[in-house]
């Protein structure tokens, strides 16, 4: 079993927390979280254990001020162990329950870990282009097909070696690890795939 991801890039943290990359950078810049959740060696990093607090800070913006959210995060981080299932914060007469948020970020982290395991880079396969393990299918081509609006069923028809879960994980990998340079156009990816909508195709949650 692969080691659990600990230090995340801002794009990875955004995927795990379910917020925008801009939100993550703002939280890093303003030091919203306790210092132990940050790491600077090798670039700006957030510990995966802080993603629940990132999600709370962003999603509670409509109910609490920035100072109130930061104070609650400080209290929660002081009383919550990484291995605990207890995610409630007591603030006077009020209780904030982050259990659902914690479960959601944990599920997102698990999918990111699986996505990382799914993708390989081998100089002998397409000159090192990131591909889905056991295939010669470029992961960014699959993600681009979803972003272009192709139905998942059409993507699977064009790439019969894949399944719905692999399509979903390909999208997660691409979101967490953006491709550098100009993405390939659809006619360059797979001529058999036809764009039928400009809307992003929905990918069913894999169990």
């Amino acid at each position: 079993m692969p080691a659990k991801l600990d230090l995340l890039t801002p794009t990875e943290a955004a995927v795990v927390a379910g917020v925008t990359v801009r939100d993550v950078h703002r939280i890093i810049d303003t030091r919203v979280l306790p210092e132990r959740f940050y790491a600077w060696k090798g670039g700006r990093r957030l510990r995966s254990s802080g993603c629940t607090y990132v999600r709370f800070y962003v999603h509670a913006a409509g109910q609490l001020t920035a100072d109130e959210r930061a104070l609650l995060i400080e209290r929660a981080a002081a009383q919550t162990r990484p291995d605990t299932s207890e995610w409630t914060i007591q603030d006077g007469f009020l209780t904030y329950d982050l259990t659902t948020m914690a479960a959601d970020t944990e599920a997102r982290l698990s999918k990111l870990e699986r996505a990382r395991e799914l993708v390989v880079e081998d100089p002998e396969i397409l000159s090192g282009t990131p591909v889905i393990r056991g295939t010669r299918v470029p992961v960014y081509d699959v993600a681009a097909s979803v972003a272009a609006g192709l139905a998942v069923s059409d993507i699977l028809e064009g790439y019969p070696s894949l399944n719905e879960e692999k399509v979903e994980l390909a999208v997660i990998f691409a979101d967490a690890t953006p491709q550098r340079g100009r993405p390939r156009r659809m006619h360059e990816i797979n001529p058999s795939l036809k764009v039928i909508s400009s809307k992003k195709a929905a990918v069913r949650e894999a169990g």
Side-chain angles (χ1 to χ4, degrees):
M1 179 179 294
K4 185 173 182 177
L5 290 175
D6 180 23
L7 296 180
L8 305 177
T9 65
T11 51
E12 290 172 335
V15 167
V16 173
V19 300
T20 68
V21 178
R22 183 178 180 180
D23 288 329
V24 173
H25 279 298
R26 185 170 67 249
I27 286 171
I28 293 175
D29 290 338
T30 56
R31 300 293 202 281
V32 169
L33 305 184
E35 194 62 29
R36 73 174 186 272
F37 290 108
Y38 302 106
W40 309 104
K41 188 175 181 179
R44 295 153 66 91
R45 298 288 187 272
L46 277 177
R47 297 197 178 280
S48 58
S49 54
C51 286
T52 295
Y53 302 125
V54 170
R55 185 172 177 82
F56 167 75
Y57 186 84
V58 173
H59 287 268
Q63 292 78 43
L64 301 169
T65 68
D67 287 344
E68 288 171 336
R69 284 174 280 153
L71 179 60
L72 287 172
I73 288 172
E74 182 179 352
R75 290 178 178 175
Q79 71 183 36
T80 305
R81 302 190 314 273
D83 61 341
T84 186
S85 58
E86 181 63 37
W87 282 91
T88 56
I89 311 171
Q90 196 69 39
D91 181 34
F93 295 105
L94 299 177
T95 299
Y96 298 89
D97 189 349
L98 307 188
T99 303
T100 300
M101 285 190 178
D104 184 68
T105 54
E106 185 66 27
R108 288 171 178 269
L109 178 62
S110 177
K111 286 185 177 182
L112 177 58
E113 291 168 342
R114 284 153 52 198
R116 291 269 293 265
E117 281 295 299
L118 179 70
V119 178
V120 296
E121 297 181 43
D122 186 336
E124 300 298 320
I125 303 176
L126 300 182
S127 301
T129 297
V131 298
I132 294 176
R133 186 180 297 276
T135 77
R136 296 176 64 85
V137 178
V139 65
Y140 291 110
D141 286 2
V142 177
S145 298
V146 174
L150 270 71
V152 174
S153 58
D154 291 334
I155 295 173
L156 297 180
E157 184 176 345
Y159 298 113
S161 59
L162 305 185
N163 55 34
E164 288 190 17
E165 181 185 24
K166 289 180 179 179
V167 172
E168 180 190 15
L169 294 179
V171 172
I172 291 172
F173 180 89
D175 286 344
T177 315
Q179 184 178 20
R180 295 181 179 180
R182 180 185 70 82
R184 294 206 295 166
R185 300 182 186 279
M186 286 306 301
H187 71 272
E188 300 173 314
I189 292 175
N190 189 331
S192 68
L193 297 175
K194 304 296 182 182
V195 178
I196 58 175
S197 170
S198 60
K199 296 181 179 179
K200 189 170 183 178
V203 178
R204 182 175 64 81
E205 292 284 326

